[in-house]
Amino acid sequence: MPRKKEPAAKARSAPFPTKEQVLTFIKDSAEPVGKREIARAFRIKGNDRIRLKALLKELQADGLLERQVGRRHATPGHLPSVMVIEVSELDEDGELRARPAVWEDEAPPPTIYLAPPRGSRSALAIGERVLARLKKTSDQSYEAQVIRKLDRPQRRVLGLYERGDEGGRLRPTDRRAKRDFILSSENAGEARPGELVLAEILPERRRGPRLGLRSVRVVQRLGRGDDPKALSLITLHEHGLISEFPEEAVAEAEAAGPAELGKREDLRARPLVTIDGADARDFDDAVFAEPDSDPGNAGGWHLLVAIADVAHYVRPGSPLDRSAYARGNSVYFPDRVLPMLPAALSNGWCSLNPKEDRPCMAVHLWIDAEGRLLRQRFLRGLMRSAARLTYEEVQAAHDGGPAPHGQGDNEAVLAQVLPPLYGAFAALIKAREKRGTLELDLPERKVRLAEDGRVVAIEARERLDSHRLIEEFMIAANVAAARELERLGQLCMYRVHDKPDPVRLKALAEVLRGLGLRLNASQVVRPRMLTQLLVKVAGQAESGLVNDLILRAQSQAIYSPENIGHFGLALTHYAHFTSPIRRYADLLVHRALIAALGLGKDGLPPDAEGRFDEAASHISTTERQAAAAERDAVDRFTAAFLQDRVGADFDGRINGVTRFGLFITLDESGADGLVPISTLPDDFYRHVEARHSLEGERWGRVYRLGDRVRVRLLESDPVTGGLILSLAEPEDESTETGKSLENSRKNWNPLDDAQGRPAKARKLPQKPGRKRNPAKPGRKAAPAAKGRTRKKRKGR
């Protein structure tokens, strides 16, 4: 009998997933997913779709899943692809982190890393809000690309006017800008190509000749874009800094005149001197010292620190006061200064110019031979500077060398005032060393300009003992001001510096351990302990790295009416008193002293206490803005200086390691540039935060914070201040390097992938120096086997 034909076996369906499997799939997805995507992933068909719907409802009821817009699902804490975030901190690697602007969950929000603008670190400030596009990188972290800043809606744009085959364009100076703007001839007015212009953004059109580009109209011409002066103008406008004073403030400053002696103490017989940089134009502090005449204080010193009496000219609530408060501080660019006060005061009546009578707030300080402050007495006086000295002039005189060129007219004054000044300085240094301050070695860049404003050189700013002398005198006066106000129970604007965050200290200790340095982060860490580490590595290759790491572990110094001390200076009481011409905080301290000591009617007003918290926040913010603007200006001038050297190689050091690439500080100029991760030798790189490194998974290349590198300059853009670099390839790889790479190829196991991805899904780099799939000489490449794809062959 013929055998019966058996029915075909039913295709076996995939087993129905568990709750844990569905949760894992949703959690690992970069975006929220819909029911259809889940069903496709687990091959769920037919009636099983009803089971899936019920399973998803159960997960929601258990709080393990959230229903989002568009019937899509995500685990709690999953962030949408576009959202408003707030910049929250700068981490140890110099990367900006952010958090969702609105977060109501009890659990901490995921970490959001802000991708840097092209060629530079982000210019965003802590606390700024931005609209960003997010990309999930791990369970608890995201990368964010800034779409636009929200705190200051973009209605105007600064840029260079350019004309090409497609017509007029405006190229924004902001390095965060992703696109140019259309600038037609009718909207350009009298502007000419190559000019720097301020333009307003016109209402968006739905259709246009160049879809996606916005049109702008010129509202102000600012001069040629290649004019060296334009670099500061760009920075000024980009940071929203105030360049012009209100007319009433200028009028008030110009109406000012000399102060009478009246009830002031006459200090004109004291040989007070100012010591400043050679290019300084305003002088707000003068110093004097002599041995203490008290027999009970043998070896002790009497110091007198006199400070410009700005409070005499800038009265609370006046137009001058409102203008100074809005600025918060002066801003210093390589080619100009944006002063806090109009020139009539900053360079005139408030400046302690030599041989001219000036009103001052002064403090007598008595210290012992070990530099300890014994007592102080504040006063309002009338002084007359005996000489305007420079740091270089003072240092040369102290060292017994010739005076710098053009600075040899003060020999008699120097011979009289220098010995006691340096004697008191030696005592203050003893006190500093005894209390154990944090002594970071942070070189500064100085931009030297020619008469036409072009950059001649980028130099390291020299650090002399004469600089330290003035610093120690100012610190002593600042400490005395804070102590005096606390003694009198008066309101004070303290300068506070909190202890480092314990989490940062723990991360710092782990990295230092790899360098053979020990830091016990579990105990109370004091500034002295960090300085001892710096002393150990001084002069070694790791010195710059350790300085950077310790700096990044620090909290940020701010102004506050609440005193928590100053960690870096190892002081319990500290306030800024010595620079009221350029810092509003110092003016508040002067007014507080005037009110507390009954030195006049121009002290703090009765309602000041209710506004001190707001004032502290405001001037801390303006200080950060000024610092960011000054850095950006130096970056632009440096980029202009390096523009003629594109293609040249430079030695440098890795000063930042991020998931986007490496930031390099060039030895020659101190400039910072970015090596994008896409330009690194072919490999798959992981960012290992704990080791501050980018580590190649296949070939084992490692780039760590502090490593010495040689780089090539690819781009230098003065308009944005950005430098794009690449690692300079050596002329030929050494035998040892070749062997190391070959061993890496032999020993590499695709199953060892730390991120758990199948080998064929990864980018598998080729051995350096070889082309992909090379055919042997004289032979053709073998054809692909039937039924196989090259992708499968390649992944074997």
Side-chain angles (χ1 to χ4, degrees), residues 570-743:
L571 293 168
T572 58
H573 296 74
Y574 195 64
H576 277 165
F577 163 77
T578 55
S579 297
I581 293 178
R582 60 186 180 89
R583 291 189 306 228
Y584 195 83
D586 302 55
L587 176 56
L588 291 175
V589 171
H590 279 223
R591 288 174 177 168
L593 288 166
I594 291 168
L597 295 169
L599 298 177
K601 298 180 180 180
D602 43 8
L604 286 177
D607 62 345
E609 185 172 2
R611 295 182 294 173
F612 243 48
D613 281 325
E614 179 185 345
S617 176
H618 171 72
I619 58 181
S620 295
T621 299
T622 57
E623 179 190 39
R624 289 195 297 268
Q625 289 174 339
E630 289 168 357
R631 286 195 303 268
D632 282 0
V634 172
D635 286 346
R636 287 189 166 95
F637 278 88
T638 304
F641 178 64
L642 294 174
Q643 203 171 18
D644 295 334
R645 301 183 66 184
V646 170
D649 290 352
F650 299 87
D651 290 318
R653 182 172 58 85
I654 299 175
N655 79 349
V657 181
T658 74
R659 62 196 64 243
F660 313 107
L662 306 171
F663 283 101
I664 311 296
T665 298
L666 305 183
D667 294 346
E668 183 179 312
S669 61
D672 285 339
L674 174 67
V675 176
I677 195 169
S678 59
T679 67
L680 293 178
D682 199 13
D683 206 336
F684 181 84
Y685 291 90
R686 287 188 304 118
H687 179 221
V688 184
E689 293 184 61
R691 292 193 288 269
H692 301 271
S693 64
L694 283 178
E695 301 182 2
E697 288 191 357
R698 186 170 188 187
W699 305 123
R701 293 184 180 90
V702 177
Y703 302 100
R704 293 188 183 90
L705 189 70
D707 282 355
R708 304 290 308 169
V709 290
R710 189 158 181 82
V711 293
R712 182 162 298 149
L713 179 60
L714 302 181
E715 297 178 25
S716 182
D717 189 353
V719 173
T720 64
L723 302 180
I724 301 294
L725 309 168
S726 69
L727 295 180
E729 297 180 4
E731 293 182 3
D732 55 353
E733 287 191 321
S734 69
T735 305
E736 290 300 319
T737 303
K739 287 180 179 178
S740 175
L741 291 175
E742 185 61 34
N743 289 334

Side-chain angles (χ1 to χ4, degrees), residues 324-615:
Y325 178 79
R327 291 168 181 255
N329 41 253
S330 298
V331 186
Y332 296 86
F333 293 154
D335 63 340
R336 71 187 69 196
V337 177
L338 265 65
M340 187 179 78
L341 301 173
L345 290 182
S346 60
N347 296 348
W349 295 112
C350 289
S351 182
L352 306 181
N353 297 331
K355 313 299 184 184
E356 297 180 10
D357 290 357
R358 289 291 184 268
C360 64
M361 281 285 294
V363 57
H364 290 280
L365 305 169
W366 287 270
I367 63 174
D368 65 14
E370 300 300 313
R372 290 186 292 262
L373 180 61
L374 303 178
R375 66 185 189 279
Q376 69 269 342
R377 183 172 72 86
F378 285 86
L379 59 99
R380 287 183 107 168
L382 191 68
M383 63 159 287
R384 186 179 179 86
S385 172
R388 179 268 199 267
L389 306 176
T390 69
Y391 292 118
E392 295 77 13
E393 186 178 11
V394 169
Q395 191 67 46
H398 178 67
D399 295 342
H405 179 68
Q407 299 179 17
D409 300 330
N410 297 310
E411 290 185 13
V413 175
L414 287 164
Q416 178 186 3
V417 303
L418 277 199
L421 284 176
Y422 271 90
F425 169 53
L428 292 171
I429 286 295
K430 288 181 184 177
R432 183 186 185 98
E433 291 173 348
K434 186 172 183 179
R435 69 176 187 267
T437 59
L438 177 57
E439 303 290 349
L440 289 168
D441 181 16
L442 301 173
E444 294 182 45
R445 280 182 286 168
K446 179 181 179 181
V447 179
R448 189 152 56 86
L449 303 175
E451 291 185 2
D452 62 358
R454 298 191 180 277
V455 184
V456 175
I458 309 291
E459 304 168 333
R461 195 177 293 274
E462 196 173 14
R463 175 105 169 131
L464 305 171
D465 270 351
S466 54
H467 289 95
R468 299 179 67 207
L469 182 152
I470 290 299
E471 285 178 9
E472 289 304 316
F473 272 66
M474 298 304 108
I475 289 172
N478 289 337
V479 169
R483 285 188 181 180
E484 185 76 353
L485 288 172
E486 182 166 296
R487 181 184 71 82
L488 297 168
Q490 176 62 275
L491 196 63
C492 178
M493 185 62 76
Y494 294 98
R495 178 65 168 181
V496 298
H497 182 215
D498 204 355
K499 300 179 181 67
D501 182 86
V503 176
R504 291 187 178 187
L505 282 177
K506 185 177 179 181
L508 172 64
E510 290 178 2
V511 179
L512 291 176
R513 190 179 300 117
L515 298 173
L517 299 172
R518 185 175 180 274
L519 174 66
N520 187 353
S522 61
Q523 68 180 46
V524 177
V525 174
R526 304 189 185 282
R528 182 193 305 278
M529 299 164 60
L530 300 177
T531 297
Q532 288 171 349
L533 293 172
L534 295 171
V535 171
K536 284 184 180 179
V537 297
Q540 299 180 21
E542 297 85 2
S543 176
L545 168 61
V546 176
N547 270 273
D548 280 348
L549 290 172
I550 291 178
L551 173 64
R552 291 170 186 180
Q554 301 304 305
S555 302
Q556 190 167 33
I558 60 171
Y559 295 105
S560 172
E562 301 296 328
N563 182 26
I564 61 171
H566 196 292
F567 175 82
L569 293 174
L571 293 168
T572 58
H573 296 74
Y574 195 64
H576 277 165
F577 163 77
T578 55
S579 297
I581 293 178
R582 60 186 180 89
R583 291 189 306 228
Y584 195 83
D586 302 55
L587 176 56
L588 291 175
V589 171
H590 279 223
R591 288 174 177 168
L593 288 166
I594 291 168
L597 295 169
L599 298 177
K601 298 180 180 180
D602 43 8
L604 286 177
D607 62 345
E609 185 172 2
R611 295 182 294 173
F612 243 48
D613 281 325
E614 179 185 345

Side-chain angles (χ1 to χ4, degrees), residues 681-685 697-699 701 745 748-751 753 757-768 770-773 790-796:
D682 199 13
D683 206 336
F684 181 84
Y685 291 90
E697 288 191 357
R698 186 170 188 187
W699 305 123
R701 293 184 180 90
R745 279 177 62 91
W748 180 74
N749 183 350
L751 299 179
D753 184 355
R757 292 169 301 154
K760 65 181 181 182
R762 298 173 62 224
K763 178 183 177 183
L764 301 182
Q766 295 295 315
K767 184 175 179 180
R770 292 189 180 181
K771 295 182 179 178
R772 197 174 294 275
N773 296 330
R790 286 193 177 274
K791 183 176 181 180
K792 288 184 179 178
R793 288 169 59 84
K794 185 175 165 185
R796 284 191 304 182

Side-chain angles (χ1 to χ4, degrees), residues 33-215:
V33 296
K35 187 174 70 173
R36 182 176 300 176
E37 294 166 84
I38 300 171
R40 187 184 304 119
F42 291 100
R43 292 181 289 176
I44 298 173
K45 300 178 181 179
N47 292 334
D48 281 348
R49 290 178 179 270
I50 299 173
R51 289 180 63 188
L52 176 61
K53 185 176 181 180
L55 184 148
L56 293 174
K57 283 187 176 181
E58 289 178 21
L59 290 173
Q60 289 179 47
D62 294 341
L64 300 174
L65 208 61
E66 290 180 348
R67 184 83 170 267
Q68 297 198 347
V69 179
R71 297 184 178 182
R72 302 180 76 78
H73 302 273
T75 52
H78 194 292
L79 303 181
S81 59
V82 176
M83 72 178 303
V84 177
I85 59 176
E86 182 176 304
V87 182
S88 58
E89 65 172 328
L90 189 72
D91 72 6
E92 299 89 343
D93 287 323
E95 277 193 270
L96 280 178
R97 293 185 182 183
R99 55 170 292 142
V102 178
W103 186 257
E104 298 177 353
D105 290 3
E106 293 183 3
T111 301
I112 303 173
Y113 294 93
L114 279 162
R118 183 167 174 79
S120 178
R121 298 180 191 267
S122 175
L124 292 171
I126 306 300
E128 286 195 278
R129 291 155 57 96
V130 298
L131 182 67
R133 181 172 287 105
L134 304 185
K135 177 184 176 184
K136 193 172 184 180
T137 55
S138 70
D139 289 350
Q140 284 297 313
S141 68
Y142 291 78
E143 288 180 5
Q145 290 283 347
V146 176
I147 298 173
R148 66 175 181 273
K149 293 172 68 172
L150 298 179
D151 286 346
R152 290 199 296 264
Q154 189 183 29
R155 297 186 180 91
R156 293 189 170 189
V157 60
L158 184 70
L160 284 176
Y161 176 30
E162 299 175 345
R163 288 199 64 84
D165 296 336
E166 297 182 358
R169 291 225 179 184
L170 185 73
R171 180 161 68 93
T173 60
D174 190 340
R175 65 189 67 167
R176 294 182 298 268
K178 303 299 180 186
R179 296 182 178 180
D180 293 347
F181 292 85
I182 298 172
L183 182 52
S184 61
S185 298
E186 57 268 25
N187 288 330
E190 298 181 0
R192 297 290 178 265
E195 282 189 333
L196 184 68
V197 299
L198 185 65
E200 63 178 354
I201 300 175
L202 300 176
E204 189 171 7
R205 297 177 179 178
R206 291 178 179 267
R207 297 180 182 275
R210 281 171 274 182
L211 195 62
L213 296 184
R214 302 285 298 274
S215 293

